[in-house]
Amino acid sequence: MTRLTGRALRVTIIVGENDIWHHKPVYTEIVHRAHKAGLAGASVFRGIEGFGASSLIHTQRLLSLSEDLPVAVVIVDSEERVRDFLPQLDELVAEGLVILDDCEVIRYVGREKAK
């Protein structure tokens, strides 16, 4: 299990829900690659409304139902490991936003394995 405390780097990748990489969602490919790379963890959050570089507003409100809502993938790990992972994002993110933030990990605890 990866131990992570103290200073870390957070990468947030915002893409469209309908963005596809080889017949599967881009956010799924990012999570699976992060797992394969041994990063500490990745979470996907679905937005309810937003707009990006195209200035087109996407929303889940009933009257203007959008099928391409914003999706954010958040990954936190050491700076070195996150920066080593960035070239994979260059390959996967054709449209979207990738941002880096310094952060501090206060607590990172997983579930106990069943015995």
Side-chain angles (χ1 to χ4, degrees), residues 25-97:
V26 168
Y27 60 85
T28 297
E29 184 67 15
I30 293 169
V31 169
H32 286 266
R33 287 190 186 195
H35 185 260
K36 185 177 179 182
L39 294 174
S43 297
V44 178
F45 302 93
R46 186 172 187 234
I48 59 172
E49 189 165 3
F51 72 93
S54 68
S55 291
L56 180 62
I57 293 180
H58 301 273
T59 182
Q60 73 169 14
R61 284 181 285 154
L62 198 55
L63 295 176
S64 56
L65 191 61
S66 173
E67 294 180 359
D68 193 23
L69 293 170
V71 175
V73 182
V74 179
I75 300 168
V76 177
D77 208 320
S78 69
E79 180 172 358
E80 179 182 359
R81 294 176 70 122
V82 169
R83 290 196 183 276
D84 287 346
F85 186 70
L86 292 179
Q88 295 200 50
L89 298 178
D90 288 338
E91 179 183 5
L92 296 171
V93 181
E95 296 178 3
L97 176 68

